[in-house]
Each structure stands twice: as structure tokens, then as C-alpha cells.
Amino acid sequence: PPSVSEGAIHIIQGGTVMKEYTLTPFQQQKNIQVTVPGSKSITNRALLLAALAKGTTTLQGVLFSDDSRVFMEALKSLGYTLSIQEEEKCVQITSPGEKIPLAQASVYVGSAGTAARFLTAMLALSGGQYEVTSSEQMKGRPMKPLLLALEQLGVEFEYREAPYHFPFYIKGRQEKEVERVDLNIDESSQFLSALLISLGAYAGESVIRVEGTHGMAYIDMTVRMMEQFGIK
């Protein structure tokens, strides 16, 4: 959190000043209006939830970033209809609901961690078959805990290069029984958010046994957004 003193803002992490910004006060009072940008974390969760919701969903206050653009392009490659109005910060997504429009497709997730984790869970639990590729940078980022959990649920992966890393081919699972799965989130809470949203949409009652407490504030965000879309 920033602290303000003597005309400067200090960005402090772990007791160490990471950055310092010098401020120059206005010489007279001014009325200033600003628009706060949207949230990348909320935007990408909303994109996934909208894709899984039947009908047309309108998202307002969307943050257009590299990650969200990759996510939108991935949804297009899966056959979803998107109406994007970037200046208005608005996206409309039309979805058939449980079924992904294209049961077979190639999807690129770039370097977007949320898109990589969220879309992998969505595709794996949909029952379709998909080729998923990424940037070189994303190939080195953690995916194994999520992929192990999906394997417990009956998903099959064919790894094109290193095991439990991108790129891979997904053969989605078919059954939709009560789910129980173990998941470690020490490396990323995105693993749990990905499973929560996709299991909430595709399965009936599900139980996820979680090891680790990394990023639990993001899990609270995920749960609140799921509730807004009607998932208990």
C-alpha cells in the first residue's frame, strides 16, 4: 500500500521502499474528474462466466489489456459471438450455455495466466477436444497442479513438449457425476478459480479439497462473481 509523506508517495513491500514518486501540489484548487480503469482479474472472470451462461451477456467497465484481448480472441476461436466496443468499455457475448459452440478447435492463450488456467479448465470439462498453445513465456509457468486435478476428473492430455506444460491436446471428459478432486494452490490461486467456475457450470454438486492458501482474496472474488451468475 502507498504511504504519503512530505510530497512523495512511497510504494512499500515487505518493509522495503520499492518505488518513490515525487508530487508537485497544485498552486490553486482544481476540479478534476477521472475514470478508474476496470480490473483485469474481474474482466477475465466475467468473460469466462459470460461464455458459460446461456444467452447474451453484456459486460460493462471492461478492462482492455493484453490478457483480456487474448481471452476474447480465444473465445472467438471457440465459436462464441462477441460484440466488442472498446471505446465504450463494453463486450457482449452470446453463448449456447453448457456446450462450447465448437467441440473441436485450436486455442491460443498467449502469456495470459488467467486465460491459460481458466480456458484449460473450461475446455477440459466441456467434453470436447482441443489443441491449446501458448507463448514461450507461458510454457514455463506453473500448470501441473491444475492439470493433475483435471486428470482426476477423467480428462486426458497429450503433451506436445514437456509434460504438464503447454502446448497440449485436450480430450475432455464425458461423465457428469458428483465430483471430488484434490488441488494444490501453493503456486497460484487461479487453479482453484478455474475449477470453481467450470465445475460450477458443467458438473452437479462438486467438492474440491484444497491444499494451500495462496491468493484467497482472489477466491473470494471468484465466489462472489459466480453467485452473481447464479452458481451456488
Side-chain angles (χ1 to χ4, degrees), residues 121-143:
M122 172 191 181
L123 298 175
L125 296 175
S126 72
Q129 300 184 31
Y130 303 96
E131 190 83 30
V132 188
T133 59
S134 74
S135 68
E136 287 297 318
Q137 188 261 358
M138 191 65 214
K139 289 180 183 180
R141 294 180 63 183
M143 284 292 295

Side-chain angles (χ1 to χ4, degrees), residues 71-81 100-107 119 122-123 130:
F71 209 128
M72 293 177 209
E73 288 302 315
L75 292 176
K76 288 180 184 179
S77 70
L78 292 168
Y80 290 98
T81 301
I100 293 176
L102 298 179
Q104 297 185 31
S106 295
V107 178
L119 288 168
M122 172 191 181
L123 298 175
Y130 303 96

Side-chain angles (χ1 to χ4, degrees), residues 4 9 22 36 41 46 59 62 71 76 90-91 95 99 101 106 111 133 144 155 172 178 182 190 198 205 210:
V4 181
I9 295 180
T22 301
V36 178
S41 299
L59 305 177
V62 171
F71 209 128
K76 288 180 184 179
C90 178
V91 177
S95 167
K99 294 289 185 181
S106 295
S111 299
T133 59
K144 187 173 182 178
V155 181
V178 174
D182 298 305
Q190 291 174 359
S198 291
E205 180 179 331
V210 181

Side-chain angles (χ1 to χ4, degrees), residues 3 9 15-16 40 57 83 90 93 128 141 150 174 180 186 191 193 198 201 206 208:
S3 63
I9 295 180
T16 302
K40 178 179 74 173
T57 302
S83 174
C90 178
I93 301 177
R141 294 180 63 183
L150 291 168
Q174 303 299 320
R180 292 182 179 273
D186 283 335
F191 303 150
S193 288
S198 291
S206 305
I208 305 173

